[in-house]
Amino acid sequence: MKSVLITGANRGIGWEVAKKLSAADCFVYLACRDGGAGKQAAETLRKEGRTNVSHVVLDVTDQQSVERAAQVVADRGAGLDVLINNAGILGRHPENEPIPVEEIERVFETNYFGVIRVTRAFLPLLRKSTAPRIVNVTSELGSLTLQSDPEWVYGRFKSEAYPPSKAALNMYTVVLAAELAGEPFKVNTVSPGYTATAFNNYRGTKSPSDAADVIIRYATLGPDGPTGGFFADQGGVPW
Ligand code: NAP
């Protein structure tokens, strides 16, 4: 049975991925910063008959929390096959005034530094897998090419916080894929698309279930699948 760890798995897209992969006979670690929410999410799945789930407390902004979570997984002795770096925040944007630098730092701390922190902690466990997969959940808002196109439908969503944090995450994906080339890893950055979750007050046009499907596609790539790429449900996304 493949094991999968999903950050931010208690709600939104991460929760849908957890539901689907636990139904697909994977062992799923729901990694959540709020232990109570994580426990409740795991119990909900168990009530649906999924015994192959466990919750682990993990705040991507807290090094000790990340290390403790990696130790919990290590203590089960089986390594890890798939890491899905899903946890992310949009940040607060005050009206008619610049976004404070501290808020930009908070967004980067979660969306960029958090992913590096989690990935480094879990790499030794992923290296025990014969087919390790890493999916960094990004956004097309982090595409320099799309954001430079004045005709792009989402081009009005510009901010100094969220889109640059996802652009940095995309570059990290390229760097990480190069670092892991020569090992059986597949590392990709995947946009779920504009999805109706609390993240955007449920204004997104896609369902969390459809968003989960695109992430799962890249979390379960076969040996001939791509690595170091930027994808969405329509295929490749320009950097
Ligand atoms: P969401 O419903 O707001 O869920 C975000 C999840 O991330 C929650 O479980 C949240 O936990 C968790 N999280 C936030 N900060 C964390 C931290 N420091 N440590 C651990 N977990 C943390 O958002 P979503 O729509 O599912 O978004 C999931 C991912 O998709 C994000 O990376 C987002 O950038 C990306 N994305 C979303 C859309 C969209 O339209 N929704 C589009 C493109 C990309 P709490 O419950 O404790 O807050």
Side-chain angles (χ1 to χ4, degrees):
M1 183 181 275
K2 295 249 183 222
S3 58
V4 182
L5 185 135
I6 308 158
T7 63
N10 53 295
R11 61 185 169 94
I13 297 166
W15 163 243
E16 287 294 327
V17 174
K19 269 201 294 191
K20 290 194 173 203
L21 285 179
S22 60
D25 213 23
C26 292
F27 188 91
V28 176
Y29 295 98
L30 298 106
C32 309
R33 63 177 162 180
D34 177 338
K39 186 171 180 216
Q40 198 179 0
E43 275 169 7
T44 302
L45 290 175
R46 280 196 207 97
K47 278 186 196 141
E48 292 173 15
R50 322 269 169 75
T51 51
N52 48 326
V53 295
S54 178
H55 76 280
V56 53
V57 177
L58 190 161
D59 181 334
V60 303
T61 66
D62 178 340
Q63 181 66 29
Q64 282 189 348
S65 155
V66 171
E67 285 172 11
R68 274 196 299 267
Q71 193 56 52
V72 169
V73 176
D75 287 346
R76 291 181 67 99
L80 185 68
D81 295 294
V82 182
L83 171 63
I84 302 179
N85 285 309
N86 164 77
I89 58 171
L90 187 59
R92 287 184 287 268
H93 297 72
E95 269 182 46
N96 304 323
E97 54 181 290
I99 181 167
V101 170
E102 294 73 21
E103 185 63 3
I104 300 171
E105 287 173 345
R106 194 174 74 88
V107 171
F108 266 78
E109 196 55 55
T110 303
N111 296 0
Y112 179 62
F113 298 115
V115 173
I116 298 174
R117 198 175 282 123
V118 171
T119 304
R120 287 187 177 178
F122 284 92
L123 262 185
L125 293 168
L126 288 160
R127 283 196 161 109
K128 294 183 177 195
S129 171
T130 53
R133 304 289 178 256
I134 299 174
V135 174
N136 293 331
V137 180
T138 188
S139 168
E140 282 142 295
L141 295 178
S143 162
L144 303 185
T145 306
L146 294 175
Q147 285 283 17
S148 306
D149 177 355
E151 305 292 316
W152 187 47
V153 61
Y154 296 118
R156 68 185 185 283
F157 291 109
K158 287 197 169 50
S159 117
E160 292 152 310
Y162 183 77
S165 75
K166 293 297 191 182
L169 176 63
N170 292 347
M171 178 59 90
Y172 172 60
T173 306
V174 172
V175 170
L176 183 65
E179 179 188 325
L180 298 173
E183 300 182 57
F185 278 86
K186 303 288 179 197
V187 183
N188 291 291
T189 187
V190 179
S191 171
Y194 189 36
T195 305
T197 67
F199 191 83
N200 49 36
N201 288 327
Y202 301 93
R203 283 192 293 259
T205 48
K206 278 182 76 169
S207 70
S209 172
D210 286 347
D213 286 343
V214 62
I215 292 168
I216 290 170
R217 193 184 314 154
Y218 292 93
T220 56
L221 284 173
D224 297 330
T227 191
F230 181 5
F231 298 101
D233 55 5
Q234 71 276 18
V237 180
W239 298 104

